[in-house]
């Protein structure tokens, strides 16, 4: 059959088979034992012509409630932020998106420099000395932080705050089971942040790392400085997962004593895409540079003395070190690291501050409006950025409320009852710069109706 | 800082460098347009205490929109993708990335949806995932598929964690994973991350698994054998059923590294070969773009006996026809990635499958294998061919014959850059001296292959006539060979813009 992606004509086929010295295509597969040959056609979805395929996929996509049609107050790690128009234009340059990993630096300077700039952006925002070229997502990056700490210290215990995103905690648990590490969870206190007393009790000389998130899963800003001190007393590392947009306003974790800073760059112009692909980042203090997972780009010069960039410190990586590598990661999320870089180039010094302030202002306005609904209260009083937890009136089903909100054109906040019984009847609400006052007021009215 | 530094650079004669975005900064310029502040502007001190806030703003560049576009356009012109030309990078399957995939993945109903929305509001997305799970299961001959892993290596680790859980569920603590010496580096690295020790076995003189070495290596401590088939030499492991029997008889599991699946679609299936676990690299076989190093996607398929250990959630379908996220896997290894995998990539892969259909996928494999064999035959007179037999989708040459001229494979690769080609994979697999690994893929025409073959032959002639010329290549690229030793010894990993 001829197909628009396949150039081989019948004439080509004949010529090429003759050049190979075989009569038909079957002979090229004669080394495959007959008993393992597939004797039927694949049973996969049928081929569609281009127009029918577009129509079919539009049909599938049209069954989903998207942020263009619905006003979203859902966050929990993925947010509806404004994506500057230029991003899609840059990301659509096929010199970027159809390239492989930059193994041939002479013809990959664009990608390499873009990654170098990404690393520079992450270092500047987080206050850390070194960042890598990206990780799969923020949650797996936190898992890698645990692995780095355990490998470096030869200690076997990870202390993990319960206020870390539940899916990140699950991933840390999976990673830890692979490496035979113990995970000790420290509860979230009544004030919405990691219980400092319990944390201090949990950390000892067997602890490789303390893993926290700030703002944490419930939106509350943690006392990173205090947590770092608690970890360091016993020689453990502090790894902090951050929402990088908050770093337009909140202190860089590197200045607060963090040893590893990870997070997800999704707020930087990356579409939610049902959860992926996003872009994890991973930054460390200089002491841990050669233990970092993943690819790193470094600056160097070519033989004419021109500045150029290459993949470097590869002696850590799987293709060189095999079973002794610092991680098995190979593909990362390069294109989305580029997206994050373009976003940061667009926002710049002032835009990052303005975006952060808009998020804070709108979220605080929203919390005030929502807690004005009779029976709705703020769950925690700790300072927050753009996300906060609400307790709905006793007996309210958040799931039912969300279905009702959807019918009114809103995607409601996360049902925190999914996280644990302690949060039954609570909703986690995210408010980004995209939400207008009118939408927030409308959401408050709709929520009031929905909880009846 | 920027003006001063760029002036210095010019003074130093490096004005041909592409400026860093930070070097374009001019205080006061902006490139953003944020939504309006339409709620009361409250004093920040009352919202977030000053001691939690930055003591100084992050030193990000201040540029305007034209700078942004010109900067990244300039960078893109310093980069080579499949759309620029032939990219026969072995083991990476650099096939054409269809444009419809890109358009579809950007539909708002796919790009602008949240994984925690009510299931009723994402039925189209769940249906797509469900169908893709089914299709990948049939392509691989597996019973169940998880779409969660973000890349091939991530899939390997996921699969090995399931194998470990399977053995443990049977009260066995097996510690060894066997890999051939031709395996991808991710295989042993993933084994380590899953808590296993790696045992590497040599290939035989045909480039295949040495059955005696395998028999000697397996015992009741063997958790799994990881294999790529066709292997990284592009050769089909003819004794695959015997290999499977050896491993299974010892109580081990057989892991299929699906990096080379472009060679088998519709022809043979790992499930039928005896494999228990498979990962696929959708960014190879299913045409999704490599993105300059990601995002990829590494779904994992398993036979029924391993299904209880799948990471959750898996997309299921109720009797009513509704799709749902099934987390009811009490023996699951847990979660391996936030949410449900790299959904945007999965959308592209499904679009690709539907562009080709069952016959088209088989045609892809046939053409990929014919292209590779054609190139091998045409190049064989000019290079050492360590394994001279029918290959699958890729093949290896050795550049050792050029050493007599003082030229190495690296030099050949660099010289190819001057002709507008991305070079093949070099120095991999490790068991071939001066290795050149070529994978043309099915989306390249005979004319393209012929032109590349002619170029390779010309370079061999250049090696004979003027080896120094080849050793100093490339000549036409934006930068010439870069000092990698300096980069590693004195790492400069960011521009330290704010320090």
């Amino acid at each position: 059959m001829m197909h628009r992606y396949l150039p081989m004509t019948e004439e080509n086929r004949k010529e090429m088979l003759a050049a190979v010295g075989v009569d038909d295509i079957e002979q090229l597969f004669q080394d495959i034992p007959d008993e393992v040959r597939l004797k039927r056609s694949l049973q996969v979805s049928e081929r569609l012509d281009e127009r029918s395929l577009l129509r079919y996929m539009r049909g599938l996509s049209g069954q989903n409630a998207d942020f263009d049609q619905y006003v979203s107050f859902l966050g929990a790690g993925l947010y509806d932020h404004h994506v500057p128009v230029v991003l899609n234009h840059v990301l659509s340059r096929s010199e970027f998106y159809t390239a492989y990993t930059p193994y041939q630096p002479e013809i990959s300077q664009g990608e390499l420099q873009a990654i170098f700039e990404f690393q520079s952006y992450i270092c500047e925002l987080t206050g850390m000395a070194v960042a890598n070229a990206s990780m799969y997502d923020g949650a797996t990056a936190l898992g890698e932080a645990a692995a780095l700490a355990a490998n470096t210290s030869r200690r076997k215990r990870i202390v993990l705050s319960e206020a870390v995103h539940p899916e990140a905690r699950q991933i840390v648990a999976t990673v830890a089971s692979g490496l035979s590490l113990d995970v000790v969870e420290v509860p979230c206190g009544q004030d919405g942040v990691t219980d400092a007393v319990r944390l201090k009790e949990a950390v000892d000389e067997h602890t490789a790392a303390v893993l926290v998130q700030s703002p944490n899963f419930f939106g509350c800003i943690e006392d990173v400085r205090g947590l770092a001190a608690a970890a360091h007393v016993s020689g453990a590392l502090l790894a902090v997962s951050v929402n990088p947009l908050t770093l337009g306003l909140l202190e860089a974790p590197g200045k607060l004593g963090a040893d590893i800073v990870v997070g997800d760059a999704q707020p930087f112009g990356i579409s939610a895409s049902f959860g992926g692909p996003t872009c994890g980042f991973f930054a460390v203090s200089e002491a841990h540079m050669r233990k970092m997972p993943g690819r790193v780009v470094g600056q160097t010069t070519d033989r004419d003395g021109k500045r150029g960039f290459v993949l470097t410190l590869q002696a850590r990586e799987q293709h060189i070190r095999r079973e002794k590598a610092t991680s098995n990661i190979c593909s990362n999320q390069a294109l989305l690291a580029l997206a994050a870089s373009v976003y940061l180039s667009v926002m710049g010094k002032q835009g990052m501050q303005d975006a952060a302030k808009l998020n804070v202002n709108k979220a605080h306005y929203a919390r005030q409006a929502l807690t004005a609904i009779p029976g709705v209260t703020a769950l925690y009083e700790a300072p927050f950025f753009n996300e906060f937890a609400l307790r709905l009136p006793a007996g309210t089903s958040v799931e039912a409320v969300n279905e009702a909100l959807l019918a009114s054109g809103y995607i409601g906040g996360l049902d925190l009852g999914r996280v644990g019984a302690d949060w039954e009847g609570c909703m986690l609400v995210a408010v980004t710069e995209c939400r207008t006052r009118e939408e927030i007021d409308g959401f408050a009215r709709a929520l009031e109706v929905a909880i009846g | 800082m920027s003006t001063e530094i760029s002036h210095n650079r010019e003074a130093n004669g490096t004005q041909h460098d592409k400026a860093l975005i930070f070097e374009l900064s001019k205080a006061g310029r902006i490139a953003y347009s944020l939504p309006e502040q339409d709620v009361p502007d409250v004093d920040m001190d009352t919202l977030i205490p000053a001691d939690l806030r930055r003591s100084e703003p992050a030193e990000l560049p201040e540029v305007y929109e034209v700078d942004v576009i010109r900067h990244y356009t300039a960078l893109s012109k310093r980069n080579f993708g499949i759309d620029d030309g032939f990219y026969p990078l072995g083991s990476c399957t650099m096939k054409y990335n269809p444009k419809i995939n890109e358009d579809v993945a950007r539909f708002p109903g796919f790009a602008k949806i949240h994984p925690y929305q009510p299931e009723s509001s994402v039925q189209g997305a769940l249906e797509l995932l469900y169908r893709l799970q089914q299709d990948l299961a049939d392509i691989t001959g597996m019973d169940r598929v998880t779409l969660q892993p973000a890349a091939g290596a991530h899939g390997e680790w996921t699969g090995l964690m399931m194998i470990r859980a399977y053995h443990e569920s049977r009260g066995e603590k097996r510690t060894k994973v066997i890999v051939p010496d031709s395996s991808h580096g991710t295989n042993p690295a993933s084994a380590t991350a899953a808590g296993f020790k790696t045992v590497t076995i040599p290939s035989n003189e045909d480039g295949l698994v040495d059955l005696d070495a395998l028999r000697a290596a397996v015992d009741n401590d063997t958790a799994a054998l990881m294999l790529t088939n066709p292997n990284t030499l592009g050769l089909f492991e003819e004794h695959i059923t015997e290999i499977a029997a050896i491993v299974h008889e010892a109580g081990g599991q057989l892991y299929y590294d699906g990096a080379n699946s472009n060679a088998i679609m519709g022809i043979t299936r790992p499930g039928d070969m005896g494999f228990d676990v498979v990962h696929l690299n959708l960014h190879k076989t299913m045409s999704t773009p490599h993105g300059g190093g990601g995002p990829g996607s590494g779904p994992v398929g398993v036979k029924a006996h391993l299904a209880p250990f799948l990471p959750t959630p898996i997309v299921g379908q109720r009797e009513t026809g509704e799709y749902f996220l099934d987390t009811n896997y009490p023996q699951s290894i847990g979660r391996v990635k936030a949410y449900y995998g790299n959904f945007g990539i999965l959308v592209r892969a499904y679009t690709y499958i539907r562009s080709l259909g069952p016959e088209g996928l088989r045609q892809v494999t046939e053409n990929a294998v014919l292209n590779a064999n054609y190139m091998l035959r045409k190049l064989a007179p000019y290079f050492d061919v360590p394994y001279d037999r029918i290959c699958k989708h890729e093949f290896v040459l050795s550049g050792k014959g050029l050493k007599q001229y003082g030229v190495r494979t690296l030099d050949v690769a660099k010289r190819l850059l001057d002709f507008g080609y991305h070079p093949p994979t070099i120095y991999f697999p490790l068991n071939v001296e001066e290795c050149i690994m070529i994978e043309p893929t099915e989306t390249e025409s005979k004319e393209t292959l012929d032109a590349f073959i002619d170029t390779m032959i010309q370079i061999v002639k250049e090696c004979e006539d003027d080896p120094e010329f080849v050793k100093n290549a490339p000549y036409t690229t934006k930068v010439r060979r870069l000092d990698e030793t300096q980069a590693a010894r004195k790492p400069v990993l960011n521009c330290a813009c704010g320090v």
Side-chain angles (χ1 to χ4, degrees), chain A residues 13 36 43 124 167 174 300, chain B residues 59 116 138 339 363 483:
Chain A
R13 182 178 285 235
V36 306
Q43 289 169 357
E124 179 57 23
E167 297 202 8
T174 313
T300 186
Chain B
E59 283 299 326
Y116 292 157
D138 193 67
Y339 316 112
Q363 193 76 56
D483 188 341

Side-chain angles (χ1 to χ4, degrees), chain A residues 17 25 58 77-78 155 171 207 248 272 289 303 307 327 339 347 353 396 414 420 438:
Chain A
L17 286 169
I25 206 89
R58 254 192 216 107
L78 282 173
R155 296 179 179 189
I171 290 165
T207 307
M289 175 174 76
R303 57 172 55 178
R307 175 170 66 184
S327 164
M347 299 308 284
Q353 299 173 66
T396 307
L414 180 73
E438 196 184 339

Side-chain angles (χ1 to χ4, degrees), chain A residues 3 13 31 36 43 45 48 75 88 97 99-100 119 124 167 170 174 247 249 300 303 322 332 354, chain B residues 32 54 59 99 106 114 116 135 138 183 192 268 290 292-293 335 339 354-355 363 392 472 483 493:
Chain A
H3 187 282
R13 182 178 285 235
D31 51 351
V36 306
Q43 289 169 357
S45 306
L48 293 173
N88 190 42
Y97 81 81
Y100 197 72
Q119 292 171 182
E124 179 57 23
E167 297 202 8
Q170 290 165 12
T174 313
L247 300 178
L249 183 72
T300 186
R303 57 172 55 178
R322 297 177 70 86
N332 51 46
D354 291 356
Chain B
Y32 62 94
R54 282 190 97 96
E59 283 299 326
K99 303 307 158 194
R106 285 169 171 81
H114 194 292
Y116 292 157
D135 285 355
D138 193 67
S183 65
T192 300
T268 179
H290 285 68
R335 179 174 283 282
Y339 316 112
R354 300 236 54 177
S355 298
Q363 193 76 56
K392 293 278 92 57
N472 287 314
D483 188 341
L493 308 180

Side-chain angles (χ1 to χ4, degrees), chain B residues 74-380:
Chain B
L75 287 187
S76 75
K77 290 179 175 172
R78 297 163 74 83
N79 221 50
F80 186 94
I82 300 165
D83 288 0
D84 292 290
F86 189 38
Y87 213 125
L89 192 64
S91 231
C92 299
T93 314
M94 298 301 284
K95 61 172 73 180
Y96 173 63
N97 304 145
K99 303 307 158 194
I100 188 174
N101 300 357
E102 298 305 307
D103 286 2
V104 168
R106 285 169 171 81
F107 288 172
F110 293 139
K112 297 186 181 180
I113 54 174
H114 194 292
Y116 292 157
Q117 287 178 215
E119 279 173 9
S120 63
S121 74
V122 288
Q123 282 296 302
L126 293 174
E127 180 176 343
L128 184 148
L129 295 176
Y130 184 81
R131 289 177 181 273
L132 182 61
Q133 286 174 188
Q134 304 287 96
D135 285 355
L136 298 181
D138 193 67
I139 289 167
T140 55
M142 291 286 153
D143 295 311
R144 302 296 300 279
V145 168
T146 170
L147 301 172
Q148 219 177 95
H154 202 214
E156 290 173 16
W157 173 69
T158 301
L160 290 171
M161 289 294 289
M162 293 171 68
I163 287 172
R164 181 172 151 160
Y166 167 76
H167 289 309
E168 285 175 3
S169 76
R170 294 154 55 92
E172 292 186 345
K173 176 83 186 147
R174 291 172 175 252
T175 65
K176 286 195 319 202
V177 167
I178 302 173
V179 302
D181 56 2
S182 62
S183 65
H184 296 114
T186 48
N187 292 177
S190 299
T192 300
F196 294 112
K197 298 258 178 289
T198 301
V199 178
T200 303
I201 56 169
S203 306
N204 67 16
E205 58 190 14
D206 296 326
L208 303 175
V209 169
D210 184 324
L211 295 181
D212 290 333
L214 178 62
R215 280 193 200 94
V218 299
D219 57 24
N220 57 14
D221 199 21
T222 301
L225 168 69
M226 298 182 82
L227 209 57
T228 315
N229 195 19
N231 66 21
T232 57
L233 302 166
L235 307 177
F236 196 85
E237 297 282 355
E238 311 174 315
H239 305 294
I240 185 59
T241 53
E242 211 172 336
I243 291 169
I246 293 169
V247 175
H248 285 150
E249 272 162 29
Q253 297 283 291
L254 207 55
Y255 184 96
Y256 185 90
D257 174 341
N260 294 344
S261 300
N262 214 40
I264 61 159
M265 286 191 291
I267 303 286
T268 179
R269 309 188 303 169
D272 300 331
M273 297 178 211
F275 286 90
D276 304 288
V277 191
V278 175
H279 87 257
L280 289 175
N281 301 69
L282 299 184
H283 47 288
K284 298 180 179 178
T285 317
M286 297 303 170
S287 83
T288 71
H290 285 68
S297 176
V300 170
V302 293
K303 290 278 179 63
H305 65 281
L306 290 168
F309 310 102
L310 284 164
T312 60
I314 299 287
V315 182
Q317 188 177 23
R318 298 187 205 281
E319 282 173 11
T320 54
E322 206 175 77
Y323 298 94
F324 72 108
L325 292 160
D326 189 353
T327 54
N328 188 20
Y329 285 73
Q331 289 180 281
S332 165
I333 58 163
R335 179 174 283 282
V336 299
K337 162 112 178 54
Y339 316 112
Y340 322 128
N342 280 341
F343 177 75
I345 304 303
L346 302 171
V347 171
R348 289 172 173 87
Y350 187 64
T351 304
Y352 178 72
I353 289 173
R354 300 236 54 177
S355 298
L356 272 305
E359 294 314 310
L361 292 179
R362 186 190 159 104
Q363 193 76 56
V364 161
T365 287
E366 288 185 3
N367 294 10
V369 170
L370 180 51
N371 274 355
N373 278 286
Y374 176 76
M375 289 186 80
L376 169 58
R377 226 9 72 214
K378 291 282 189 179
L379 287 169

